[in-house]
DNA sequence: TTTACTTCTTGATATAGGTCAAGCTATTTT
DNA sequence: AAAATAGCTTGACCTATATCAAGAAGTAAA
């Protein structure tokens, strides 16, 4: 059904699955609806799922000892999110995943993904190739974080992801870029 | 031979390869010796290889328009490095990879890795699992970059990787952590 | 349509940490 | 072992950006 179209297209960009493989894959997907402000992952609980967003927006953030939030991931349609460390190592999550809007997500359990990846070579390839691309992107974010000014980081993000920047609250963007909300406000007013 | 022991052990931590698969894998490895300060990857050229360090130390860094260096990866024995974006997308590298010591590295070409991963399910699994772990680590570095003070980042690194911190020049560590060398010097003298 | 949250803006102030400069100390190289 | 190069330290200064505070503007709820 149309609810799986997005994720199947996503897979299709990397590998080809047979019809029966697609069926097997779909069988491990659980569709979940979450309301705005609802938590999908919480510190203390293992992040059981890899989550794919069919519709809506989610952020993953870390709450430090001073009560400050630091956003690691901002995800909209066609993005994946999870507390990756918790998901892989089966340890309690350190991050929150919070719906920024009412959302529909597809959830796949760690064991199910691993089982399927062991059985279906193409699926393993898919996650490998996709994760390698995420990794390359992650290096770029790191470079940006350590080498650019707040203003440069802000405009870089806004130019690269205008739809996301317009869609999420500014304080979320601020905590993603490691900038104070006030500074973002000033950067915007300056232009 | 012993030169392959490290990488085979590395693989062994994730998956089991048959003897013939091991042989196939070894056949795509090229052993290269590089001298201190030699470049293994340079902007403008495609980063052809995934590189594994048998012995020595290497850093990957970005040179910005103001001539400042920003280190993305510091790698010693049993680590991989490459300009990942260039390697995956076959586009000219943006980073330098520079030997910090005389080093012995194992190089595997993109096409060879892809061909083998298509043929050998376990190898695909290996790279998938390993990259997923790298990814989880990468999020931690991001959090650290956007949420911690320079001093916290410095001590965090030194405690986590004391051997590396003692082995590489301080300006390299500084450019990895996004701190000025002077500040690192002051942080150290303060303790 | 008033009340109450939530988010954003603006101003005043403080400070972490960068930059510049100069000298010092190692470590290579000749 | 002298010369040269590379790396580290220290001091003085400066600026980008955080923090604090208070109000304005949106948005949702009652």
């Amino acid at each position: 059904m149309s609810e799986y179209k997005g994720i199947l297209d996503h897979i299709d960009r990397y590998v080809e699955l047979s019809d029966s493989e697609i069926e097997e894959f779909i069988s491990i997907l659980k569709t979940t609806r979450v309301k705005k402000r609802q938590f999908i992952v919480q510190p203390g609980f293992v992040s059981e799922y890899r989550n794919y967003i069919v519709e809506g927006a989610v952020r993953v953030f870390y709450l430090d000892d001073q009560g400050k939030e630091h956003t690691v991931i901002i995800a909209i349609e066609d993005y994946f999110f999870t507390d990756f460390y918790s998901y892989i190592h089966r340890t309690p999550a350190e991050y929150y995943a919070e719906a920024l809007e009412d959302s529909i997500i597809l959830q796949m359990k760690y064991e199910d993904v691993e089982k399927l990846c062991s059985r279906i070579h193409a699926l393993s390839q898919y996650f490998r190739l996709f994760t390698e691309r995420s990794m390359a992107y992650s290096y770029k974010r790191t470079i940006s974080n350590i080498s650019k000014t707040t203003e440069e980081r802000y405009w870089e993000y806004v130019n690269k992801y205008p739809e996301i920047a317009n869609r999420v609250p500014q304080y979320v963007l601020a905590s993603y870029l490691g900038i104070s909300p006030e500074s973002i406000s000033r950067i915007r007013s300056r232009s």
Side-chain angles (χ1 to χ4, degrees), chain A:
Chain A
M1 355 237 55
S2 70
E3 111 198 70
Y4 301 127
K5 185 172 187 311
I7 197 166
L8 293 177
D9 280 355
H10 196 278
I11 294 176
D12 221 41
R13 266 178 255 146
Y14 296 93
V15 297
E16 264 191 70
L17 294 185
S18 71
D19 288 355
S20 71
E21 286 167 346
I22 290 175
E23 243 179 77
E24 276 199 271
F25 177 67
I26 286 179
S27 79
I28 70 166
L29 299 179
K30 179 179 153 200
T31 305
T32 301
R33 261 150 231 275
V34 288
K35 285 261 164 221
K36 186 170 173 173
R37 284 199 186 81
Q38 193 177 327
F39 291 129
I40 300 130
V41 177
Q42 265 178 301
F45 301 86
V46 173
S47 179
E48 298 287 352
Y49 304 101
R50 232 179 243 252
N51 307 281
Y52 170 89
I53 304 181
V54 176
E55 203 186 298
V58 172
R59 69 163 172 151
V60 177
F61 70 93
Y62 171 69
L63 193 67
D64 73 20
D65 5 295
Q66 278 117 80
K68 271 191 72 179
E69 299 174 355
H70 306 281
T71 299
V72 204
I73 298 174
I74 302 176
I76 57 171
E77 290 84 27
D78 205 32
Y79 279 69
F80 281 89
F81 72 89
T82 187
D83 178 333
F84 223 61
Y85 192 91
S86 166
Y87 169 82
I88 288 171
H89 295 97
R90 331 300 354 270
T91 52
E94 294 184 63
Y95 306 143
Y96 294 86
E98 177 198 29
L100 294 171
E101 307 171 358
D102 295 355
S103 306
I104 302 171
I105 61 184
L106 298 178
Q107 304 190 294
M108 49 205 99
K109 265 210 148 70
Y110 173 80
E111 301 85 35
D112 291 339
V113 172
E114 288 308 311
K115 244 181 260 166
L116 267 201
C117 279
S118 302
R119 277 225 305 286
I120 303 175
H121 188 169
L123 199 67
S124 174
Q125 288 273 76
Y126 162 64
F127 281 114
R128 175 178 71 84
L129 293 166
F130 171 51
T131 309
E132 284 179 353
R133 268 148 195 76
S134 309
M135 196 65 211
Y137 164 75
S138 182
Y139 280 125
K140 288 199 183 263
R141 183 173 176 198
T142 298
I143 282 288
S144 189
N145 279 335
I146 64 179
S147 72
K148 307 232 164 124
T149 65
T150 54
E151 184 146 8
E152 288 169 331
R153 290 208 300 285
Y154 174 75
W155 290 118
E156 186 176 83
Y157 189 90
V158 168
N159 290 327
K160 198 161 175 192
Y161 307 105
E163 352 73 62
I164 301 182
N166 285 322
R167 196 162 153 184
V168 305
Q170 225 150 81
Y171 72 86
V172 168
L173 190 50
S175 74
Y176 178 87
L177 296 171
I179 310 179
S180 72
E182 293 94 330
S183 289
I184 290 218
S185 181
R186 279 184 253 268
I187 288 168
R188 301 199 70 202
S189 73
R190 238 177 267 150
S191 83

